[in-house]
Amino acid sequence: MKKKISGWIPTLALMISLWSAAGVFSYLTGSDRIANRFGVGYNDVEIREEFPDPVPEDKEITKKVTFVNTGPVDCFARAKLVFGNGEAQNAVRTHLNTETWRLEEDGYYYYQKILGPQEETEELLSSLTVEGTVSQEEKEFDLAVYVETVQALAGEKPLEAFARLTK
């Protein structure tokens, strides 16, 4: 005796097969794209100096030094003054702004405020005074100003920001 297969069983099997094939095809061909655009900030600083040319023979010489944040992000600044020779360093007294610039153990002066884009610091140095009698060689010296910046993070202090670079 032959059994008759109803017409709905093959139809159901065909429907399940097509539905499964459509799901697999969708999974294998479907895709989403998300474009994450971002920019990288950078620190850039410019040293601004006011210094007479030629140098006057006075005991006090005007030398105003400030720094401008020319980058797009907030940053902290630190600076170091480096004399060309030890005799000049001993014979010259620097007039520094110790209210907003603080000398730390590493020999750098740290600006105590966050420096925003296009902002200028208060003066680090305003003038130099030659003390006592000095030779001509001691009067002719180099004073280099070296500056570094680091991006400022919220709630951070200048020393913490620069310490982050050495971790």
Side-chain angles (χ1 to χ4, degrees):
M1 179 178 218
K2 285 186 171 181
K3 289 187 178 181
K4 235 181 181 185
I5 299 180
S6 328
W8 65 271
I9 294 177
T11 304
L12 181 64
L14 181 63
M15 295 286 286
I16 290 173
S17 297
L18 289 174
W19 181 72
S20 296
V24 169
F25 181 75
S26 296
Y27 176 77
L28 294 176
T29 60
S31 67
D32 284 336
R33 287 187 181 235
I34 298 174
N36 293 320
R37 295 182 185 264
F38 63 93
V40 178
Y42 60 92
N43 301 335
D44 201 8
V45 69
E46 176 184 305
I47 299 174
R48 291 203 178 151
E49 224 176 15
E50 182 183 314
F51 189 71
D53 189 27
V55 178
E57 293 295 323
D58 301 338
K59 294 260 183 199
E60 184 168 295
I61 302 165
T62 300
K63 182 173 176 78
K64 296 180 181 179
V65 178
T66 61
F67 309 97
V68 177
N69 178 1
T70 57
V73 296
D74 292 345
C75 65
F76 286 112
R78 71 178 181 180
K80 186 179 266 193
L81 303 175
V82 181
F83 281 87
N85 61 50
E87 294 82 23
Q89 186 171 357
N90 294 332
V92 174
R93 185 167 51 114
T94 55
H95 301 278
L96 300 162
N97 176 353
T98 56
E99 290 180 25
T100 55
W101 289 90
R102 184 172 298 141
L103 179 62
E104 296 294 342
E105 292 177 3
D106 59 2
Y108 283 92
Y109 291 90
Y110 288 80
Y111 191 59
Q112 298 302 304
K113 299 177 182 178
I114 291 177
L115 192 58
Q118 305 309 314
E119 287 183 0
E120 187 171 1
T121 66
E122 294 177 34
E123 290 177 355
L124 166 63
L125 178 66
S126 58
S127 63
L128 308 166
T129 303
V130 179
E131 297 180 335
T133 307
V134 293
S135 67
Q136 187 61 32
E137 291 81 29
E138 290 175 331
K139 283 184 181 180
E140 295 177 9
F141 62 90
D142 291 326
L143 175 58
V145 179
Y146 176 73
V147 64
E148 294 178 345
T149 60
V150 63
Q151 186 171 351
L153 301 178
E156 200 172 36
K157 301 226 179 295
L159 275 176
E160 296 168 350
F162 282 97
R164 193 171 15 100
L165 295 179
T166 59
K167 288 183 180 180

